[in-house]
Every structure is written in C-alpha cells, then in structure tokens.
Amino acid sequence: MNPIRTACLIGAALALAACSEAPQVTHYEAGSYSGKPDTRPWESAAYGGDKARWESDMRARARKQTEIGRMPPG
C-alpha cells in the first residue's frame, strides 16, 4: 500500500475521531440543589466571619477602581 495513502487514511480517521463528543446533559430535580454549598465571602479564613471588615474592604476596593479614587488628595 502507498505510504502517502496510508498516512492520509490515518489522518482522516484521527480527524473524524476528534470531532465526536459525548452529549453532556444535566438532570435537574425540582426543589433540590446538587452542587456544593456556597459560603459567604466574609466566612473565609482571611476575614474569619467579620462581615463589617469585609464590607469595608470591598468599599475601599471599589474606590480604588475608579480614576477619582486613585487621585492623590488635595
């Protein structure tokens, strides 16, 4: 058999195999959540449950993301 033809047939077979994909279907059950439980951001190790400190840090972060918040005072 011709080596070029063999290479083309192998390449075509690999290309067709790469195009297939198994269907990914999610099954939902009414009234139940099957994912992982979410934690509140202030319950992380960095804040230790201090919601007020987390809110203060988020306000400071938002101020620094604007041009006005980055301007030096004065």
Side-chain angles (χ1 to χ4, degrees):
M1 190 175 238
N2 185 353
I4 295 175
R5 183 176 177 194
T6 304
C8 287
L9 288 174
I10 291 173
L14 289 175
L16 288 174
C19 292
S20 64
E21 182 177 344
Q24 299 175 2
V25 180
T26 304
H27 298 284
Y28 296 102
E29 292 182 26
S32 67
Y33 177 67
S34 61
K36 70 173 186 66
D38 293 332
T39 57
R40 293 177 176 91
W42 55 86
E43 293 174 349
S44 67
Y47 292 101
D50 189 358
K51 183 178 178 181
R53 190 173 125 219
W54 178 81
E55 288 175 340
S56 174
D57 285 353
M58 292 302 107
R59 280 192 298 274
R61 178 182 174 192
R63 276 194 304 272
K64 291 178 183 178
Q65 289 181 346
T66 65
E67 293 297 324
I68 294 172
R70 287 189 232 154
M71 294 176 68

